[in-house]
Amino acid sequence: MPRPTTSPKRRRDRRPLLTWSAVVAVSVALALAASWIYTRDDYWSQRWTVDLTVYLASGETVREGASLYDLVIISPLYGEMPYLYPPLTALLFFVPLSFLPAGAAALVWNSASLVALGAVVWLSLGMAGVRDDRTRSALTVVGLVLAACLLPVRIQLIAGQINMFLLLLVLLDFSRRSDRLRGVGIGIAAGLKITPLIFIVYLLVTRRWAAARNALAAFLVTVAIGFLVLPGDAARYWGGLVLHSSRAGGVFDTPNQSLAGAMARVLSSEQFASWWLLVMAVVGLWGIAVALLAFRRGSDLLGFSATAVTGLLVSPVSWEHHWVYVIPLLVWLAVRAHRTRSLPVAVATAVLVTVFTVRIFMLVGIQESPPAPMALAAWEQVVAAAYPLTGLALLTLGPLWLRRIPPVADGTAPSAGGARRAGPGRLPDPPGGGGDAAHERAGAGTA
Protein backbone atom coordinates (compact mmCIF):
# COMPACT_ATOMS: atom_id res chain seq x y z
CA MET A 1 0.00 0.00 0.00
CA PRO A 2 1.58 3.39 -0.97
CA ARG A 3 2.56 5.69 1.89
CA PRO A 4 0.65 9.01 2.08
CA THR A 5 2.76 12.01 1.15
CA THR A 6 2.53 15.61 2.23
CA SER A 7 2.25 18.12 -0.59
CA PRO A 8 4.87 20.88 -0.80
CA LYS A 9 2.14 23.50 -0.31
CA ARG A 10 0.96 21.82 2.90
CA ARG A 11 4.53 21.65 4.21
CA ARG A 12 4.94 25.37 3.48
CA ASP A 13 1.71 26.13 5.32
CA ARG A 14 2.92 24.22 8.40
CA ARG A 15 6.39 25.76 8.48
CA PRO A 16 5.40 29.02 10.26
CA LEU A 17 3.61 27.03 12.97
CA LEU A 18 6.66 24.80 13.44
CA THR A 19 9.01 27.80 13.45
CA TRP A 20 7.13 29.72 16.09
CA SER A 21 6.46 26.62 18.18
CA ALA A 22 10.23 26.12 18.27
CA VAL A 23 10.82 29.80 19.11
CA VAL A 24 8.32 29.68 21.99
CA ALA A 25 9.74 26.43 23.36
CA VAL A 26 13.32 27.70 23.19
CA SER A 27 12.28 31.03 24.73
CA VAL A 28 10.65 29.36 27.73
CA ALA A 29 13.69 27.11 28.15
CA LEU A 30 16.05 30.10 28.02
CA ALA A 31 13.89 32.03 30.52
CA LEU A 32 13.97 29.09 32.91
CA ALA A 33 17.72 28.73 32.44
CA ALA A 34 18.25 32.44 33.12
CA SER A 35 16.23 32.21 36.32
CA TRP A 36 18.14 29.13 37.49
CA ILE A 37 21.57 30.62 36.70
CA TYR A 38 21.18 34.19 37.89
CA THR A 39 19.22 33.54 41.06
CA ARG A 40 22.08 31.28 42.20
CA ASP A 41 24.79 33.83 41.50
CA ASP A 42 25.76 36.04 44.47
CA TYR A 43 26.17 39.14 42.29
CA TRP A 44 23.27 38.81 39.87
CA SER A 45 20.74 37.42 42.34
CA GLN A 46 20.71 40.83 44.06
CA ARG A 47 19.74 42.40 40.72
CA TRP A 48 17.24 39.78 39.62
CA THR A 49 13.93 41.38 38.45
CA VAL A 50 14.94 44.73 39.98
CA ASP A 51 13.03 46.67 37.29
CA LEU A 52 10.21 44.15 36.97
CA THR A 53 9.52 44.64 40.68
CA VAL A 54 8.78 48.31 39.97
CA TYR A 55 6.65 47.34 36.96
CA LEU A 56 4.54 44.91 39.00
CA ALA A 57 4.12 47.51 41.74
CA SER A 58 2.95 50.01 39.12
CA GLY A 59 0.27 47.57 37.99
CA GLU A 60 -0.92 47.12 41.56
CA THR A 61 -0.87 50.90 42.04
CA VAL A 62 -3.19 51.43 39.07
CA ARG A 63 -5.54 48.71 40.32
CA GLU A 64 -5.67 50.38 43.73
CA GLY A 65 -6.42 53.80 42.24
CA ALA A 66 -3.25 55.47 43.58
CA SER A 67 -0.88 57.69 41.59
CA LEU A 68 1.81 56.00 39.53
CA TYR A 69 4.24 58.83 40.12
CA ASP A 70 4.01 58.68 43.90
CA LEU A 71 5.21 55.09 43.69
CA VAL A 72 8.76 54.50 44.92
CA ILE A 73 10.33 51.09 45.47
CA ILE A 74 13.36 50.99 47.77
CA SER A 75 16.12 48.78 46.37
CA PRO A 76 18.94 47.67 48.69
CA LEU A 77 21.37 48.28 45.80
CA TYR A 78 19.98 51.28 43.97
CA GLY A 79 17.95 53.12 46.60
CA GLU A 80 14.75 54.83 45.45
CA MET A 81 13.34 53.45 42.19
CA PRO A 82 10.29 55.36 40.87
CA TYR A 83 8.03 54.41 37.99
CA LEU A 84 9.48 56.07 34.86
CA TYR A 85 7.15 55.37 31.93
CA PRO A 86 3.91 56.87 30.57
CA PRO A 87 0.64 55.71 32.15
CA LEU A 88 -0.33 53.64 29.09
CA THR A 89 2.66 51.33 29.61
CA ALA A 90 1.39 50.35 33.04
CA LEU A 91 -2.14 49.90 31.71
CA LEU A 92 -1.16 47.66 28.79
CA PHE A 93 1.59 45.57 30.34
CA PHE A 94 1.86 45.80 34.08
CA VAL A 95 -1.74 45.78 35.27
CA PRO A 96 -2.38 42.35 33.68
CA LEU A 97 1.05 41.07 34.77
CA SER A 98 0.49 42.18 38.38
CA PHE A 99 -2.26 39.56 38.85
CA LEU A 100 0.43 36.85 38.74
CA PRO A 101 2.76 35.86 41.59
CA ALA A 102 6.18 37.47 41.20
CA GLY A 103 7.94 34.27 40.11
CA ALA A 104 5.31 33.41 37.51
CA ALA A 105 5.26 37.02 36.27
CA ALA A 106 9.04 36.93 35.78
CA LEU A 107 8.82 33.70 33.78
CA VAL A 108 5.98 34.96 31.59
CA TRP A 109 7.63 38.36 31.05
CA ASN A 110 11.07 36.99 30.17
CA SER A 111 9.62 34.25 27.96
CA ALA A 112 7.57 36.82 26.04
CA SER A 113 10.65 39.05 25.77
CA LEU A 114 12.63 36.18 24.27
CA VAL A 115 9.84 35.39 21.80
CA ALA A 116 10.04 39.04 20.76
CA LEU A 117 13.80 38.56 20.35
CA GLY A 118 13.12 35.59 18.08
CA ALA A 119 10.85 37.80 15.98
CA VAL A 120 13.57 40.46 15.83
CA VAL A 121 16.06 37.86 14.57
CA TRP A 122 13.56 36.61 11.97
CA LEU A 123 12.88 40.10 10.67
CA SER A 124 16.58 40.98 10.66
CA LEU A 125 17.44 37.86 8.65
CA GLY A 126 14.81 38.75 6.06
CA MET A 127 16.01 42.34 5.87
CA ALA A 128 19.56 41.00 5.44
CA GLY A 129 18.40 39.06 2.37
CA VAL A 130 17.86 35.53 3.72
CA ARG A 131 14.93 34.37 1.56
CA ASP A 132 14.80 30.59 1.88
CA ASP A 133 12.16 29.82 4.52
CA ARG A 134 13.83 26.67 5.80
CA THR A 135 17.19 28.37 6.22
CA ARG A 136 15.60 31.41 7.79
CA SER A 137 13.62 29.30 10.27
CA ALA A 138 16.70 27.37 11.37
CA LEU A 139 18.80 30.52 11.66
CA THR A 140 16.06 32.21 13.69
CA VAL A 141 16.21 29.54 16.39
CA VAL A 142 20.02 29.48 16.36
CA GLY A 143 20.15 33.28 16.32
CA LEU A 144 17.73 33.45 19.26
CA VAL A 145 20.03 31.31 21.38
CA LEU A 146 23.15 33.24 20.34
CA ALA A 147 21.52 36.66 20.78
CA ALA A 148 20.40 35.66 24.27
CA CYS A 149 24.11 35.53 25.18
CA LEU A 150 24.64 39.22 24.36
CA LEU A 151 25.05 41.42 27.43
CA PRO A 152 22.16 43.80 26.63
CA VAL A 153 19.83 40.79 26.38
CA ARG A 154 21.21 39.20 29.55
CA ILE A 155 20.73 42.44 31.48
CA GLN A 156 17.25 42.74 29.97
CA LEU A 157 16.35 39.31 31.38
CA ILE A 158 18.03 39.90 34.74
CA ALA A 159 16.32 43.24 35.33
CA GLY A 160 13.04 42.25 33.64
CA GLN A 161 13.14 45.12 31.16
CA ILE A 162 10.74 46.21 28.38
CA ASN A 163 13.09 47.19 25.55
CA MET A 164 12.78 44.07 23.39
CA PHE A 165 9.09 44.75 22.79
CA LEU A 166 9.87 48.31 21.74
CA LEU A 167 12.61 47.14 19.36
CA LEU A 168 10.17 44.69 17.75
CA LEU A 169 7.50 47.37 17.30
CA VAL A 170 9.98 49.70 15.59
CA LEU A 171 11.54 47.01 13.42
CA LEU A 172 8.13 45.87 12.21
CA ASP A 173 7.62 49.29 10.66
CA PHE A 174 10.68 48.85 8.45
CA SER A 175 9.49 45.46 7.20
CA ARG A 176 5.80 46.04 6.51
CA ARG A 177 4.13 44.85 3.31
CA SER A 178 2.65 48.23 2.51
CA ASP A 179 2.88 51.86 3.49
CA ARG A 180 -0.63 52.09 4.89
CA LEU A 181 0.35 51.21 8.47
CA ARG A 182 4.08 51.96 8.33
CA GLY A 183 4.98 54.23 11.26
CA VAL A 184 2.26 52.96 13.60
CA GLY A 185 4.69 50.68 15.45
CA ILE A 186 7.14 53.53 15.99
CA GLY A 187 4.35 55.75 17.35
CA ILE A 188 3.09 53.08 19.74
CA ALA A 189 6.64 52.33 20.93
CA ALA A 190 7.25 56.03 21.59
CA GLY A 191 3.99 56.20 23.51
CA LEU A 192 5.23 53.39 25.76
CA LYS A 193 8.72 54.84 26.20
CA ILE A 194 9.67 58.17 24.68
CA THR A 195 13.05 57.26 23.13
CA PRO A 196 11.77 55.71 19.82
CA LEU A 197 10.62 59.18 18.72
CA ILE A 198 14.00 59.57 16.99
CA PHE A 199 12.82 57.14 14.30
CA ILE A 200 10.22 59.71 13.22
CA VAL A 201 13.14 62.00 12.41
CA TYR A 202 14.59 59.24 10.23
CA LEU A 203 11.27 58.86 8.40
CA LEU A 204 11.19 62.60 7.78
CA VAL A 205 14.73 62.91 6.40
CA THR A 206 14.05 59.97 4.08
CA ARG A 207 10.88 61.75 2.91
CA ARG A 208 8.42 59.08 3.98
CA TRP A 209 5.78 61.60 4.89
CA ALA A 210 2.86 59.18 5.27
CA ALA A 211 4.82 56.93 7.61
CA ALA A 212 5.93 59.92 9.68
CA ARG A 213 2.30 61.10 9.93
CA ASN A 214 1.22 57.62 10.99
CA ALA A 215 3.91 57.51 13.65
CA LEU A 216 3.01 60.91 15.05
CA ALA A 217 -0.70 60.09 15.00
CA ALA A 218 -0.18 56.76 16.77
CA PHE A 219 1.98 58.47 19.38
CA LEU A 220 -0.67 61.13 20.03
CA VAL A 221 -3.34 58.42 20.33
CA THR A 222 -1.31 56.67 23.04
CA VAL A 223 -0.99 59.97 24.90
CA ALA A 224 -4.72 60.60 24.55
CA ILE A 225 -5.59 57.14 25.89
CA GLY A 226 -3.46 57.87 28.94
CA PHE A 227 -5.36 61.12 29.54
CA LEU A 228 -8.71 59.36 29.11
CA VAL A 229 -7.98 56.52 31.53
CA LEU A 230 -5.53 58.09 34.02
CA PRO A 231 -5.85 61.86 33.50
CA GLY A 232 -4.04 62.89 36.68
CA ASP A 233 -1.03 60.66 36.06
CA ALA A 234 -0.93 61.60 32.37
CA ALA A 235 -0.91 65.30 33.24
CA ARG A 236 1.96 64.81 35.70
CA TYR A 237 4.03 62.74 33.30
CA TRP A 238 3.56 64.72 30.07
CA GLY A 239 3.51 67.97 32.02
CA GLY A 240 7.12 67.67 33.11
CA LEU A 241 8.23 64.31 34.52
CA VAL A 242 9.01 63.06 31.00
CA LEU A 243 11.97 65.49 30.93
CA HIS A 244 13.42 64.49 34.32
CA SER A 245 16.04 61.97 33.24
CA SER A 246 17.69 62.17 36.68
CA ARG A 247 14.86 60.01 38.04
CA ALA A 248 16.38 57.07 36.12
CA GLY A 249 19.59 57.03 38.20
CA GLY A 250 23.02 58.62 38.42
CA VAL A 251 24.24 59.92 35.08
CA PHE A 252 27.78 58.86 36.03
CA ASP A 253 26.86 55.24 36.81
CA THR A 254 29.04 52.92 34.72
CA PRO A 255 26.12 51.01 33.12
CA ASN A 256 24.96 54.33 31.64
CA GLN A 257 26.47 53.83 28.21
CA SER A 258 25.43 57.13 26.62
CA LEU A 259 27.67 60.03 25.67
CA ALA A 260 26.34 61.91 28.69
CA GLY A 261 27.34 59.03 30.94
CA ALA A 262 30.83 58.91 29.46
CA MET A 263 31.28 62.69 29.81
CA ALA A 264 29.99 62.63 33.39
CA ARG A 265 32.61 60.04 34.29
CA VAL A 266 35.42 61.89 32.50
CA LEU A 267 34.47 65.24 34.06
CA SER A 268 33.52 63.74 37.46
CA SER A 269 30.13 65.43 37.16
CA GLU A 270 27.00 64.44 39.05
CA GLN A 271 24.66 66.49 36.86
CA PHE A 272 23.88 66.82 33.17
CA ALA A 273 25.58 70.06 32.09
CA SER A 274 23.69 72.31 29.67
CA TRP A 275 26.66 72.66 27.28
CA TRP A 276 26.54 68.92 26.72
CA LEU A 277 23.44 69.61 24.62
CA LEU A 278 25.69 71.11 21.93
CA VAL A 279 27.72 67.89 21.80
CA MET A 280 24.53 65.84 21.61
CA ALA A 281 23.19 68.04 18.81
CA VAL A 282 26.35 67.64 16.71
CA VAL A 283 26.39 63.86 17.20
CA GLY A 284 22.66 63.69 16.53
CA LEU A 285 22.92 65.56 13.24
CA TRP A 286 25.89 63.47 12.14
CA GLY A 287 24.13 60.22 13.04
CA ILE A 288 20.98 61.11 11.12
CA ALA A 289 23.14 62.09 8.13
CA VAL A 290 24.77 58.65 8.28
CA ALA A 291 21.32 57.04 8.42
CA LEU A 292 20.29 59.01 5.32
CA LEU A 293 23.44 57.90 3.50
CA ALA A 294 22.70 54.25 4.34
CA PHE A 295 19.16 54.66 3.06
CA ARG A 296 20.40 56.20 -0.19
CA ARG A 297 22.86 53.33 -0.58
CA GLY A 298 19.94 50.90 -0.54
CA SER A 299 19.62 49.64 3.03
CA ASP A 300 16.81 50.66 5.35
CA LEU A 301 18.19 48.26 7.97
CA LEU A 302 21.50 50.11 8.09
CA GLY A 303 19.60 53.40 8.19
CA PHE A 304 17.54 52.04 11.08
CA SER A 305 20.72 50.92 12.84
CA ALA A 306 22.46 54.28 12.43
CA THR A 307 19.36 56.01 13.81
CA ALA A 308 19.19 53.61 16.74
CA VAL A 309 22.86 54.09 17.63
CA THR A 310 22.41 57.86 17.35
CA GLY A 311 19.47 57.76 19.74
CA LEU A 312 21.42 55.66 22.23
CA LEU A 313 24.36 58.08 22.11
CA VAL A 314 22.40 61.32 22.56
CA SER A 315 19.96 60.06 25.20
CA PRO A 316 20.90 61.33 28.70
CA VAL A 317 20.66 57.77 29.99
CA SER A 318 21.26 54.64 27.90
CA TRP A 319 21.66 51.64 30.16
CA GLU A 320 23.33 48.52 28.81
CA HIS A 321 20.00 46.81 28.13
CA HIS A 322 18.93 49.71 25.89
CA TRP A 323 21.59 48.59 23.40
CA VAL A 324 19.48 45.62 22.24
CA TYR A 325 18.90 47.87 19.22
CA VAL A 326 22.27 46.73 17.80
CA ILE A 327 20.99 43.16 17.29
CA PRO A 328 19.64 43.73 13.73
CA LEU A 329 22.99 45.23 12.72
CA LEU A 330 24.90 42.24 14.11
CA VAL A 331 22.62 39.86 12.17
CA TRP A 332 23.06 41.88 8.96
CA LEU A 333 26.85 41.94 9.31
CA ALA A 334 27.03 38.20 10.01
CA VAL A 335 24.95 37.42 6.91
CA ARG A 336 27.03 39.77 4.75
CA ALA A 337 30.31 38.32 6.04
CA HIS A 338 29.11 34.83 5.10
CA ARG A 339 27.79 35.79 1.67
CA THR A 340 30.74 37.91 0.57
CA ARG A 341 33.35 35.75 2.32
CA SER A 342 34.80 39.04 3.55
CA LEU A 343 37.43 38.62 6.26
CA PRO A 344 37.31 42.32 7.32
CA VAL A 345 33.52 42.19 7.76
CA ALA A 346 33.80 38.90 9.67
CA VAL A 347 36.47 40.38 11.96
CA ALA A 348 34.42 43.54 12.52
CA THR A 349 31.38 41.41 13.37
CA ALA A 350 33.38 39.31 15.82
CA VAL A 351 34.76 42.44 17.51
CA LEU A 352 31.28 43.93 17.86
CA VAL A 353 29.87 40.68 19.24
CA THR A 354 32.69 40.58 21.80
CA VAL A 355 32.11 44.20 22.85
CA PHE A 356 28.39 43.53 23.31
CA THR A 357 28.90 40.21 25.13
CA VAL A 358 31.64 40.79 27.71
CA ARG A 359 31.07 43.23 30.59
CA ILE A 360 34.65 44.41 30.50
CA PHE A 361 34.37 47.13 33.17
CA MET A 362 33.23 44.51 35.66
CA LEU A 363 36.19 42.25 34.84
CA VAL A 364 38.72 45.01 35.57
CA GLY A 365 37.06 46.04 38.83
CA ILE A 366 35.35 49.31 37.88
CA GLN A 367 32.44 49.95 40.22
CA GLU A 368 28.93 49.71 38.79
CA SER A 369 27.01 52.34 40.77
CA PRO A 370 29.37 54.39 42.96
CA PRO A 371 27.92 56.93 45.41
CA ALA A 372 29.90 59.68 43.65
CA PRO A 373 31.90 60.01 40.39
CA MET A 374 35.06 57.91 40.44
CA ALA A 375 38.61 59.01 39.66
CA LEU A 376 39.36 56.69 36.75
CA ALA A 377 42.60 56.37 34.80
CA ALA A 378 42.48 57.08 31.06
CA TRP A 379 42.39 53.39 30.15
CA GLU A 380 39.60 52.83 32.68
CA GLN A 381 37.58 55.65 31.10
CA VAL A 382 37.91 53.88 27.74
CA VAL A 383 36.75 50.58 29.25
CA ALA A 384 33.86 52.29 31.06
CA ALA A 385 32.74 53.93 27.79
CA ALA A 386 32.90 50.80 25.61
CA TYR A 387 29.43 51.19 24.08
CA PRO A 388 29.44 54.94 23.29
CA LEU A 389 32.95 54.67 21.82
CA THR A 390 31.81 51.73 19.70
CA GLY A 391 28.76 53.71 18.60
CA LEU A 392 30.90 56.68 17.60
CA ALA A 393 33.23 54.35 15.70
CA LEU A 394 30.27 52.87 13.80
CA LEU A 395 28.98 56.31 12.84
CA THR A 396 32.48 57.42 11.78
CA LEU A 397 33.74 54.35 9.91
CA GLY A 398 30.36 53.23 8.55
CA PRO A 399 30.07 56.03 5.95
CA LEU A 400 33.64 55.41 4.77
CA TRP A 401 32.85 51.73 4.24
CA LEU A 402 29.52 52.45 2.53
CA ARG A 403 31.19 54.79 0.04
CA ARG A 404 33.87 52.22 -0.85
CA ILE A 405 31.51 49.38 -1.71
CA PRO A 406 28.76 49.06 -4.35
CA PRO A 407 25.22 49.95 -3.21
CA VAL A 408 24.15 47.50 -0.55
CA ALA A 409 20.89 46.58 -2.32
CA ASP A 410 19.63 44.33 0.46
CA GLY A 411 16.04 45.06 -0.52
CA THR A 412 15.14 46.94 2.66
CA ALA A 413 15.04 50.50 1.29
CA PRO A 414 12.27 51.65 -1.06
CA SER A 415 13.46 51.97 -4.62
CA ALA A 416 13.13 55.02 -6.83
CA GLY A 417 9.89 53.69 -8.25
CA GLY A 418 8.54 52.94 -4.80
CA ALA A 419 8.51 49.16 -5.29
CA ARG A 420 10.19 46.68 -3.05
CA ARG A 421 11.52 43.26 -3.85
CA ALA A 422 9.30 40.48 -2.58
CA GLY A 423 10.07 38.95 0.77
CA PRO A 424 12.00 41.46 2.86
CA GLY A 425 12.10 40.87 6.57
CA ARG A 426 8.65 40.19 7.92
CA LEU A 427 7.04 37.70 10.22
CA PRO A 428 6.01 34.35 8.74
CA ASP A 429 2.50 34.20 7.38
CA PRO A 430 0.07 32.32 9.59
CA PRO A 431 -0.77 28.76 8.53
CA GLY A 432 -2.61 29.02 5.25
CA GLY A 433 -1.27 32.53 4.58
CA GLY A 434 -0.18 33.87 1.28
CA GLY A 435 3.62 33.91 1.58
CA ASP A 436 6.09 36.28 -0.02
CA ALA A 437 4.29 36.42 -3.32
CA ALA A 438 1.56 38.44 -1.64
CA HIS A 439 3.96 41.21 -0.72
CA GLU A 440 2.44 44.52 -1.70
CA ARG A 441 3.91 47.66 -3.17
CA ALA A 442 5.82 49.69 -0.57
CA GLY A 443 7.88 52.82 -0.21
CA ALA A 444 6.02 56.11 -0.41
CA GLY A 445 9.02 58.22 -1.20
CA THR A 446 12.74 58.37 -1.72
CA ALA A 447 15.54 60.59 -0.60
Side-chain angles (χ1 to χ4, degrees):
M1 185 174 179
R3 295 176 60 186
T5 59
T6 304
S7 69
K9 182 180 185 303
R10 191 166 184 177
R11 285 198 298 270
R12 286 196 300 271
D13 289 345
R14 291 172 54 189
R15 189 167 294 141
L17 177 62
L18 294 174
T19 298
W20 292 105
S21 296
V23 167
V24 170
V26 170
S27 296
V28 173
L30 289 172
L32 288 169
S35 176
W36 191 88
I37 292 169
Y38 293 120
T39 57
R40 283 162 175 76
D41 182 273
D42 290 340
Y43 181 87
W44 293 116
S45 61
Q46 300 177 65
R47 293 153 175 81
W48 180 251
T49 66
V50 64
D51 290 326
L52 184 61
T53 300
V54 180
Y55 298 165
L56 296 177
S58 74
E60 294 172 0
T61 298
V62 172
R63 287 163 49 196
E64 293 168 358
S67 173
L68 279 170
Y69 303 106
D70 290 333
L71 169 66
V72 176
I73 299 296
I74 305 299
S75 165
L77 282 176
Y78 303 117
E80 294 185 354
M81 297 186 65
Y83 177 74
L84 300 174
Y85 300 139
L88 183 64
T89 314
L91 289 168
L92 285 182
F93 289 104
F94 309 138
V95 169
L97 203 62
S98 68
F99 284 97
L100 297 175
L107 177 60
V108 169
W109 184 250
N110 280 345
S111 297
S113 179
L114 286 162
V115 171
L117 173 59
V120 166
V121 173
W122 171 272
L123 292 170
S124 301
L125 286 167
M127 295 174 78
V130 178
R131 305 292 184 226
D132 180 73
D133 283 345
R134 182 177 299 177
T135 302
R136 197 168 162 195
S137 296
L139 288 177
T140 295
V141 176
V142 173
L144 167 61
V145 175
L146 295 177
C149 298
L150 295 169
L151 181 60
V153 179
R154 301 199 316 266
I155 300 293
Q156 157 112 7
L157 297 176
I158 290 165
Q161 260 288 333
I162 193 174
N163 296 291
M164 199 64 69
F165 303 108
L166 307 180
L167 168 58
L168 177 58
L169 281 170
V170 173
L171 198 61
L172 278 168
D173 268 347
F174 294 105
S175 52
R176 290 191 182 277
R177 297 183 184 187
S178 71
D179 277 342
R180 192 174 66 173
L181 294 178
R182 185 175 288 120
V184 171
I186 291 171
I188 294 173
L192 299 174
K193 187 175 182 178
I194 198 73
T195 47
L197 279 177
I198 192 171
F199 292 101
I200 298 182
V201 179
Y202 175 55
L203 292 176
L204 290 172
V205 299
T206 54
R207 301 182 185 179
R208 286 176 280 187
W209 313 120
R213 285 194 301 268
N214 288 344
L216 183 58
F219 171 68
L220 293 176
V221 167
T222 67
V223 174
I225 292 173
F227 273 98
L228 284 173
V229 182
L230 296 171
D233 283 339
R236 288 182 65 183
Y237 181 79
W238 296 111
L241 286 178
V242 63
L243 300 176
H244 293 181
S245 60
S246 59
R247 299 175 71 240
V251 67
F252 56 83
D253 285 357
T254 313
N256 181 13
Q257 292 292 300
S258 68
L259 279 179
M263 289 192 293
R265 290 186 290 272
V266 169
L267 300 172
S268 297
S269 174
E270 298 187 28
Q271 301 292 334
F272 187 96
S274 57
W275 66 266
W276 296 0
L277 292 173
L278 178 60
V279 177
M280 306 303 168
V282 171
V283 173
L285 290 172
W286 174 253
I288 293 299
V290 173
L292 178 58
L293 171 64
F295 179 84
R296 286 176 168 170
R297 299 290 290 177
S299 178
D300 217 9
L301 187 144
L302 292 184
F304 155 87
S305 297
T307 305
V309 169
T310 302
L312 292 164
L313 289 173
V314 303
S315 175
V317 175
S318 291
W319 303 120
E320 292 159 303
H321 50 77
H322 293 169
W323 285 79
V324 294
Y325 281 88
V326 302
I327 292 171
L329 175 62
L330 297 179
V331 172
W332 188 93
L333 287 171
V335 171
R336 184 170 181 87
H338 172 73
R339 284 189 164 170
T340 62
R341 300 298 192 269
S342 170
L343 180 60
V345 176
V347 170
T349 306
V351 170
L352 288 173
V353 168
T354 301
V355 169
F356 289 109
T357 300
V358 182
R359 205 183 201 199
I360 304 174
F361 78 79
M362 186 176 171
L363 295 180
V364 299
I366 298 175
Q367 196 172 345
E368 176 186 328
S369 298
M374 299 172 286
L376 298 177
W379 70 269
E380 290 175 313
Q381 293 286 3
V382 171
V383 169
Y387 288 12
L389 290 176
T390 300
L392 289 173
L394 287 171
L395 294 181
T396 303
L397 300 177
L400 299 177
W401 178 68
L402 281 171
R403 289 186 179 280
R404 292 185 61 181
I405 64 173
V408 179
D410 60 13
T412 62
S415 65
R420 226 175 184 171
R421 290 208 305 263
R426 59 181 179 83
L427 294 175
D429 295 296
D436 281 343
H439 214 179
E440 299 173 13
R441 182 182 180 275
T446 58

